[in-house]
Amino acid sequence: QTVVTQEPSFSVSPGGTVTITCSLTSASVSNIHYPGWYQQTPGQPPRTLIYTTSVRSSGVSDRFSGSILGNKAALTITGAQADDESTYFCVLYLGSGIYVFGTGTKVTVL
Amino acid sequence: QGQLQESGPGLVKPSETLSLTCSVSGASVTIPSFFWNWVRQPAGKGPEWIGRVYYTGNTNYNPSLKSRVSISLDSSRNELSLKLTSVTAADTAVYFCVREVAAITSLFDSWGQGTVVTVSS
C-alpha cells in the first residue's frame, strides 16, 4: 500500500514562514503526481489551496505557494496569520485514476 | 459553484453493507466536466480516497478497498452513491462526496459537508 508522509506538526510565529512537505515511501514526488494541498479546520471539509503542484485555487492568498523541493512536494506559508492555524493535507495522483492523501500536518501559529 | 450533500444511515452493523447517497446541485452528473469522488476520514486521521465515477459510468477505486466498494451515478436524481460491503469498525469515518474537475488532475473543487458513519453492533 502506498503511503504519503507529512510532518505531524509545525509551530510558526505570526509573520513567520513554514514549509510542509509531502513524500512517497516508494518514489520521488514530481510534477507527474500533480500534487495538491488542502486546508482543514475541525468539523469542516477540506478547502482547496493548491493543485497541479503550484496553482492557487480561486480566492486563495498568495501567502500560500506550492512547489517541488528535491524529491518532495512542498507547501510554503509566508507571513503566517492566526487563521492559518489548521491541518494541511497533500494529495498525490498515482496514475490510472488513483489518488492518495497524505497523513496531514497540524500547523500552530503562536 | 456546485453543492453536494451526503445522506445515509449513521450507524451500520459489522458485516453489513454501508450505503450512502450524495445529492448534487449546480451541475449535472451527466456532463463530462467532472469526476465524482468519495473520500472518507476517520476521526483524527487524514483523508482516504475511496474512488470516483465519471459520467460514462467508468470507475476507479482505491486498490485497498476495491473488492468491497461500488460507486455509481443516478442521472434521473442527479446523485451519486457509495456501497461498501462487509464493513468493520475500521470503516467508521466521516464520508465526503467530492467533485473533481476532469480537465485538471488533483483539483477537488467542491466538497460536501460530510456524513458520519459508525460501524457498531
Side-chain angles (χ1 to χ4, degrees):
Chain A
Q1 185 176 356
T2 302
V3 177
V4 176
T5 304
Q6 299 176 230
E7 299 86 356
S9 62
F10 274 118
S11 182
V12 60
S13 299
T17 297
V18 60
T19 296
I20 302 164
T21 66
C22 173
S23 63
L24 274 169
T25 52
S26 55
S28 295
V29 177
S30 70
N31 290 327
I32 66 169
H33 296 102
Y34 300 89
W37 291 94
Y38 294 80
Q39 177 190 47
Q40 189 178 32
T41 53
Q44 295 298 314
R47 170 198 175 205
T48 309
L49 294 177
I50 302 284
Y51 59 93
T52 317
T53 305
S54 59
V55 181
R56 273 186 295 276
S57 186
S58 176
V60 173
S61 168
D62 60 5
R63 297 185 299 101
F64 294 91
S65 61
S67 63
I68 299 292
L69 288 181
N71 61 351
K72 300 179 183 182
L75 173 71
T76 299
I77 307 171
T78 56
Q81 300 177 357
D83 63 2
D84 295 335
E85 193 161 289
S86 302
T87 301
Y88 294 85
F89 297 100
C90 65
V91 65
L92 300 179
Y93 181 66
L94 301 184
S96 301
I98 306 298
Y99 287 97
V100 60
F101 282 89
T103 50
T105 300
K106 185 172 183 178
V107 172
T108 303
V109 181
L110 50 75
Chain B
Q1 190 163 357
Q3 292 188 334
L4 304 100
Q5 179 65 58
E6 306 87 349
S7 62
L11 181 64
V12 182
K13 289 183 168 54
S15 80
E16 295 188 345
T17 296
L18 179 163
S19 295
L20 297 176
T21 298
C22 175
S23 179
V24 178
S25 59
S28 171
V29 300
T30 62
I31 63 174
S33 303
F34 305 108
F35 290 98
W36 305 95
N37 293 257
W38 286 97
V39 173
R40 69 181 183 180
Q41 187 172 26
K45 295 187 177 181
E48 179 180 30
W49 181 78
I50 298 171
R52 70 181 186 180
V53 61
Y54 197 40
Y55 82 105
T56 57
N58 287 350
T59 54
N60 303 106
Y61 297 128
N62 185 324
S64 68
L65 298 170
K66 188 173 184 178
S67 63
R68 298 194 294 130
V69 69
S70 174
I71 298 174
S72 60
L73 295 175
D74 184 334
S75 58
S76 65
R77 295 177 179 269
N78 213 43
E79 294 178 342
L80 64 154
S81 67
L82 168 70
K83 293 189 187 301
L84 185 65
T85 63
S86 305
V87 297
T88 70
D91 296 309
T92 295
V94 178
Y95 285 74
F96 297 99
C97 60
V98 187
R99 190 178 77 177
E100 174 193 354
V101 177
I104 305 176
T105 307
S106 88
L107 177 51
F108 298 102
D109 74 328
S110 186
W111 295 65
Q113 283 298 307
T115 187
V116 177
V117 177
T118 302
V119 178
S120 175
S121 56

